[in-house]
Amino acid sequence: MNRKTSWVLFAIALAILLSAPAAMAQQQYVYPQKGQSADQQKKDEYDCHSWAVKQTGFDPTAAAQAPAQQPAQQPAGAQPGSGAKGAVRGAAVGAAAGSLGGEAGKGAAVGATAGAVAGRQQSKKQAQQQQASAQQQASTQQSAKQQNYLKARGACLEGKGYSVK
């Protein structure tokens, strides 16, 4: 292996080693069992990384650099019509309460305002809960993909005569 090839492999291996642990919850330790040189180990680790990516469809180096995907949000976190629905309910309650005092119109207006605010707040809370749930699900899927990648990479390296822990 010439010097230029050695440096290229070193740079690739270094990029993998620096970015992969940040993306993975678990790190693999690789020990040569058949007297492989450091250059050979770097080449084998790169080859196994490439193979594991092809097998699993997951590349920890790309995952470490990719920004987290955010689900699309409604403006101000509210669902369309949530304030209007609350306003209608509030107006009905306010009109009923206002009619007892002889001012159904004022009661309806106050109730509509209070209902609209409450409807928007409830909608925002539901949107936040849905976003948190989506983020948790994405995190769980990412972790499963990482584990599959680690298993595939480990199997490849063991086949090449390394102990992987």
Side-chain angles (χ1 to χ4, degrees):
M1 181 179 311
N2 64 33
R3 274 188 98 130
K4 187 175 181 180
T5 304
S6 181
W7 277 107
V8 169
L9 288 174
F10 174 76
I12 292 169
L14 183 61
I16 292 169
L17 292 173
L18 291 177
S19 60
M24 292 185 263
Q26 181 181 345
Q27 183 176 354
Q28 288 181 323
Y29 297 95
V30 180
Y31 306 96
Q33 291 186 320
K34 296 181 178 178
Q36 296 96 325
S37 68
D39 285 340
Q40 183 62 45
Q41 182 174 345
K42 288 175 194 171
K43 181 183 180 313
D44 290 341
E45 286 192 45
Y46 176 75
D47 291 344
C48 288
H49 161 76
S50 297
W51 182 82
V53 169
K54 288 177 187 170
Q55 294 300 307
T56 64
F58 177 77
D59 185 350
T61 60
Q65 296 169 359
Q69 295 293 324
Q70 294 289 331
Q73 293 182 1
Q74 297 282 341
Q79 295 177 355
S82 59
K85 291 176 186 173
V88 170
R89 285 191 295 270
V93 171
S99 67
L100 297 176
E103 297 188 21
K106 282 186 181 178
V110 170
T113 302
V117 170
R120 283 190 204 104
Q121 287 175 341
Q122 183 177 5
S123 179
K124 282 183 183 181
K125 185 176 180 180
Q126 288 173 345
Q128 289 170 345
Q129 289 172 341
Q130 288 173 348
Q131 183 177 6
S133 176
Q135 287 175 343
Q136 177 63 36
Q137 185 178 13
S139 176
T140 300
Q141 290 174 348
Q142 180 84 349
S143 179
K145 290 176 182 179
Q146 289 171 351
Q147 291 303 313
N148 287 338
Y149 166 84
L150 289 172
K151 287 178 185 177
R153 181 177 179 268
C156 176
L157 287 166
E158 287 174 359
K160 290 182 177 275
Y162 295 89
S163 173
V164 181
K165 302 288 179 196

